[in-house]
Amino acid sequence: MGGLAKSIGVSTVLQVELWAIYVGLQVAWDYGLEIPQIQTDNKQVVNLLDDHNAIAHFLSLVRAITNMRKRAWITNILWIPREDNQVADNLTKTAPPRHFQLVIHDTPPTEIGKHFSQ
């Protein structure tokens, strides 16, 4: 079990969530995962990405994610309440500020390890 973190600068909540999914799918593909599950606490993102017209959406990130989901794998997107996914919420805070490189955690960082022992 692992995760990733990356600062993207000042942005909207929607853009941040879409970037997280886009980068997460890139990493999942590179790691050879066959059935990645996308979880988000943003219902708007779920609706955007599950829309059958997503491939023609005006936001380029929605189109890019939709194209990635059409690769030779199975992706599911699930809405999950933020209070039920504190691990992911805390993982987002592990990206060093003003450090725009992707940080991949092959094991849970110590900052969120306490959530696994509960």
Side-chain angles (χ1 to χ4, degrees):
M1 187 171 289
L4 56 96
K6 178 179 177 147
S7 292
I8 64 165
V10 178
S11 191
T12 67
V13 171
L14 177 63
Q15 289 173 325
V16 168
E17 196 70 23
L18 290 171
W19 271 112
I21 291 169
Y22 179 74
V23 172
L25 285 174
Q26 285 180 322
V27 171
W29 184 261
D30 291 346
Y31 272 65
L33 300 180
E34 295 177 3
I35 308 175
Q37 186 178 81
I38 304 162
Q39 296 182 357
T40 178
D41 61 5
N42 189 314
K43 287 185 181 184
Q44 181 183 11
V45 167
V46 173
N47 293 336
L48 284 173
L49 296 179
D50 272 348
D51 187 316
H52 66 279
N53 291 320
I55 195 65
H57 198 276
F58 71 93
L59 289 175
S60 60
L61 273 172
V62 172
R63 293 191 310 269
I65 292 166
T66 301
N67 280 323
M68 289 181 79
R69 292 181 72 195
K70 290 182 178 191
R71 292 179 176 178
W73 59 356
I74 299 168
T75 62
N76 297 310
I77 184 162
L78 298 172
W79 175 79
I80 183 167
R82 180 175 293 164
E83 58 272 7
D84 290 346
N85 200 2
Q86 289 298 307
V87 172
D89 192 47
N90 288 334
L91 188 59
T92 63
K93 297 173 178 81
T94 65
R98 295 176 301 281
H99 174 75
F100 299 101
Q101 299 299 315
L102 179 63
V103 177
I104 296 178
H105 302 284
D106 292 326
T107 59
T110 56
E111 298 94 331
I112 64 167
K114 64 181 179 180
H115 293 282
F116 292 100
S117 61
Q118 296 176 352

